[in-house]
Amino acid sequence: HEILDSIAQLSLMADGEKKPRPGPVDLDIFLEDLCAETRPLAEAAGMGIRCHPLTVTVTTDAFLLRRIIRNFIVNAVKHGGSGDILVAARRRRSGVEVLVMDQGPGVDEDVQDKIFQEFASTTKEGDGIGIGLTVAKDLADALDLEVVFKSVSGKGSTFGVWIPPGD
């Protein structure tokens, strides 16, 4: 349901009917709330969520950023194996990265360049339709955020966004 709402949001933005609403976002509160919201989902899958926020305010659309990071967390719960998920923020290149790291099987190197494409999936058929990461990337693009992705087969994956310094 949330993915469909995100697709509708992207469609409205593409048509010029809706624009992102950047404003101040206190990342420590934002991430603590998001971790609390998604913790039951992770626990139901036998995983935990550790949250390491950063006391910093960034300028972006909080609603859309929440959709992006929540999407990465849900993805980590689905594919992250049995270890904990780390949700963290850190200063990087004069901006801030918000990262979701799992300890799962990772993404095979031969498909890493395809995972943000529509209907690309690294899972067995019937376990997702392969648009979640595409939607997250499109939302990040709409906010002028840089998507961060790193994966090591057998060791886990990191998904996130780099938020440039505010005005």
Side-chain angles (χ1 to χ4, degrees), residues 86-127:
L86 175 63
V87 179
R90 67 179 180 183
R91 294 181 193 281
R92 183 123 176 132
R93 297 185 345 236
S94 74
V96 176
E97 282 183 338
V98 178
L99 305 170
V100 176
M101 297 169 251
D102 68 48
Q103 301 170 15
V107 179
D108 289 335
E109 245 180 80
D110 59 332
V111 295
Q112 287 186 10
D113 59 341
K114 297 177 182 84
I115 63 167
F116 290 102
Q117 295 174 4
E118 285 183 14
F119 308 113
S121 181
T122 61
T123 60
K124 64 183 183 283
E125 194 170 324
D127 190 24

Side-chain angles (χ1 to χ4, degrees), residues 5 7 17 26 37 41 56 70 77 82 112 153 158 163:
D5 288 344
I7 292 170
E17 293 179 35
D26 293 325
E37 174 189 321
L41 178 70
V56 64
R70 189 175 197 291
V77 169
S82 59
Q112 287 186 10
S153 189
T158 298
I163 304 168

Side-chain angles (χ1 to χ4, degrees), residues 10 68 135-147 160-161:
L10 282 166
I68 295 165
V135 169
K137 181 168 184 343
D138 289 348
L139 288 172
D141 289 347
L143 295 175
D144 292 324
L145 306 180
E146 182 182 313
V147 171
V161 292

